[in-house]
Amino acid sequence: MRIDAFLSVSALLATLQGVNGAPTGTGTNPPLRGSENLLGYSPSNTLNDENTDNIQYTPVPGQNEDAKVAPYLDFENSENPQPIRGDTGGTDPGPRNYYYDRINSDKLAPPGTDNGATINAMWPMGLSHNRLGIKGSGWARQQNINAMPDATKMAGVDMRLEAGAYRELHWHVAAEWSLVLNGSVRIQAVNENGETFVDDVGAGDVWFFPPGVPHSIQALDNGTEFLLVFDDGSFSEDNTFLASEVFLHQPKEVLAKDLDLPISAFDNLPGDELYIFPGTPAPKDIQEQNVTNSAGVIPQSQSYSYHFSEQPAHEVAGGSVKIIDPLTFPIASSFSAAIVTVKPGAMREIHWHPTSDEWTFFISGQGRATLFTAPDQATTFDYHGGDVGYFPQSNSHYIENTGSEDLVFLEVLQADQFTDISLGQWIGNVPKQIVSDTLRLSNESLNSLKKEKQYVVSGKYPSS
């Protein structure tokens, strides 16, 4: 923080705390409330006429450019970032949260192309309340409509399980789609036909459990962290159906009859839910847990897991894309997703999804996106690893890598196929006369338009 800004805040605190107006020589503490003589105009009133125009700062690269050109402003190492772009804005003497200003430059100094107010399309999981597992077994934090009221179609959970720890046997009203972020985990389920399922999945792999299907999740030797996405924006991890709670809220006589066991069998039930808790390490040989009955196992075509980590990425000019949807993972009939890697300076092209909202999780790196909502609202947001983005159906957006390392993120749709409409492909396939009459592009520009979808475009563009 510049000393000038510090002095401004100090002067404000002194004024608010009554330092300048404290009586002297009385030896008594001033009363809590002031005199009615302080109301309105009085010749005896004095002002702390501090000069707030003398705010010293150094513009970062691009800050003096035209506000509608709007390059990314890197305030990360700026001593005193200011809400200024080109000839717009003005200095801020405080009070301020300098940390948030430095990592959200497009909120502090938005592009001149931003207009009005869209929904809030960004939530850091780091601001979500963490629910801690017992005995150091892990944690879980979530994003739902409590954090992002307009994210009505999907909600997410970031969960960590230490080695051998369980996410307790449970089921949900909502469908659960998951991407393993790191480590490895054993998943198990029994469907409504009594068919059983067990598999080990690792970083980059995906699983899915339909609504109502009970399942368990146990971390293997090195622990795990995974992302859960649910098809209901109001979903809460706190409202799952837990095995411990089911048993605790049935009369023991009923349990005994139902399971053909003596009442004494239930003397040692947990006194409360377990949720996330340490357990006996899973056996190395998965076949030891491959429990079956007359119904057999779930057919491979309806498998609850997909080893997405083994799918090669589709390389494009600015990075790569991997798509998973019901065409290859049929059981997840309404979940379609893509893992997108964007190289430094490159950009996930401007696009929109005509049939679904997009729920996005930023895995690593940093980027920015402008959400455009008809007729003329536009807001630019900055994202970092661990943040959630949300872009409503048919609202256009891009995601630009603003850092020095690869930006990796997950796009999730509620759709039976991963699709989008590319702004570039659309304009490139409209008759040139129509584009020229509408956008007034030159013939040279029209001839350079691409007719194929790019997905991720490189960070280079021709100089004028």
Side-chain angles (χ1 to χ4, degrees):
M1 181 188 302
R2 297 291 298 188
I3 188 67
D4 312 76
F6 178 77
L7 290 175
S8 298
V9 175
S10 298
L12 172 63
L13 289 175
T15 301
L16 293 176
Q17 293 168 352
V19 173
N20 294 338
T24 59
T26 63
T28 61
N29 192 24
L32 287 170
R33 292 174 178 80
S35 165
E36 63 182 17
N37 294 333
L38 299 178
L39 284 167
Y41 170 75
S42 169
S44 64
N45 286 348
T46 60
L47 295 177
N48 177 16
D49 198 14
E50 178 192 6
N51 183 359
T52 67
D53 283 336
N54 189 28
I55 306 298
Q56 301 299 312
Y57 76 99
T58 301
V60 300
Q63 194 164 7
N64 291 329
E65 288 195 38
D66 187 303
K68 291 193 175 181
V69 174
Y72 174 70
L73 303 181
D74 186 358
F75 286 152
E76 194 78 27
N77 297 309
S78 176
E79 195 172 8
N80 190 18
Q82 295 296 320
I84 293 172
R85 266 194 190 270
D87 61 358
T88 64
T91 56
D92 181 358
R96 305 164 56 184
N97 185 320
Y98 281 81
Y99 176 76
Y100 285 125
D101 286 347
R102 289 188 178 104
I103 65 172
N104 292 286
S105 63
D106 285 299
K107 287 188 175 179
L108 182 67
T113 48
D114 279 13
N115 186 57
T118 63
I119 68 166
N120 175 34
M122 192 275 283
W123 177 258
M125 278 288 193
L127 290 182
S128 293
H129 188 269
N130 230 341
R131 183 174 178 181
L132 306 182
I134 61 177
K135 298 180 180 179
S137 54
W139 48 260
R141 54 191 180 187
Q142 66 183 355
Q143 166 277 318
N144 56 25
I145 58 173
N146 291 337
M148 300 176 75
D150 295 290
T152 59
K153 301 298 184 182
M154 286 170 276
V157 175
D158 181 14
M159 185 173 292
R160 164 68 171 165
L161 299 179
E162 298 287 349
Y166 287 101
R167 169 66 170 94
E168 184 184 346
L169 285 162
H170 66 285
W171 74 90
H172 313 281
V173 173
E176 172 185 304
W177 188 97
S178 178
L179 173 71
V180 182
L181 298 174
N182 51 62
S184 56
V185 63
R186 181 164 295 171
I187 53 177
Q188 176 276 335
V190 181
N191 69 11
E192 58 268 46
N193 299 321
E195 296 169 324
T196 60
F197 171 86
V198 63
D199 194 17
D200 291 342
V201 288
D205 292 337
V206 169
W207 78 68
F208 175 82
F209 295 121
V213 170
H215 53 280
S216 70
I217 305 166
Q218 184 179 20
L220 297 178
D221 291 346
N222 294 315
T224 186
E225 182 179 355
F226 47 86
L227 184 69
L228 302 169
V229 186
F230 297 89
D231 59 356
D232 179 0
S234 63
F235 173 84
S236 172
E237 264 289 287
D238 299 331
N239 294 333
T240 54
F241 292 84
L242 302 174
S244 58
E245 294 284 11
V246 173
F247 274 71
L248 284 170
H249 296 287
Q250 312 296 327
K252 290 186 178 180
E253 180 196 33
V254 172
L255 289 172
K257 290 179 179 179
D258 189 65
L259 300 177
D260 193 23
L261 294 171
I263 291 177
S264 61
F266 308 104
D267 288 347
N268 296 318
L269 288 178
D272 198 357
E273 67 178 40
L274 298 175
Y275 188 67
I276 293 176
F277 65 102
T280 304
K284 299 291 185 183
D285 184 359
I286 195 173
Q287 291 301 323
E288 293 183 33
Q289 294 190 325
N290 189 17
V291 180
T292 58
N293 56 63
S294 59
V297 298
I298 289 175
Q300 187 175 13
S301 62
Q302 292 296 300
S303 172
Y304 290 149
S305 63
Y306 185 88
H307 291 263
F308 196 33
S309 62
E310 299 179 29
Q311 176 179 320
H314 176 73
E315 301 290 337
V316 291
S320 66
V321 181
K322 289 173 59 172
I323 289 175
I324 179 173
D325 58 23
L327 296 179
T328 52
F329 190 29
I331 191 66
S333 59
S334 61
F335 277 84
S336 296
I339 292 180
V340 182
T341 299
V342 182
K343 295 177 183 177
M347 188 178 79
R348 171 77 164 97
E349 66 179 343
I350 300 173
H351 69 282
W352 58 93
H353 303 283
T355 63
S356 174
D357 292 3
E358 176 189 321
W359 188 94
T360 301
F361 185 80
F362 290 82
I363 297 172
S364 63
Q366 69 176 57
R368 69 169 179 170
T370 297
L371 171 63
F372 174 71
T373 302
D376 59 0
Q377 286 77 45
T379 308
T380 302
F381 300 89
D382 297 297
Y383 298 93
H384 299 79
D387 290 349
V388 174
Y390 195 85
F391 306 104
Q393 177 180 338
S394 292
N395 285 211
S396 73
H397 54 284
Y398 62 85
I399 300 178
E400 178 186 17
N401 186 337
T402 57
S404 58
E405 58 186 46
D406 284 356
L407 171 64
V408 183
F409 54 89
L410 171 74
E411 298 181 29
V412 183
L413 312 179
Q414 287 294 292
D416 59 8
Q417 186 174 345
F418 189 92
T419 61
D420 63 33
I421 291 181
S422 155
L423 175 68
Q425 186 180 45
W426 172 43
I427 295 301
N429 285 279
V430 171
K432 293 180 181 179
Q433 175 190 328
I434 298 176
V435 178
S436 177
D437 289 348
T438 304
L439 300 176
R440 301 177 184 176
L441 297 181
S442 68
N443 284 331
E444 181 181 4
S445 296
L446 292 172
N447 291 332
S448 297
L449 294 175
K450 297 178 175 60
K451 294 185 177 181
E452 303 302 325
K453 192 173 295 187
Q454 304 298 300
Y455 292 103
V456 182
V457 296
S458 71
K460 300 176 182 178
Y461 55 89
S463 58
S464 356

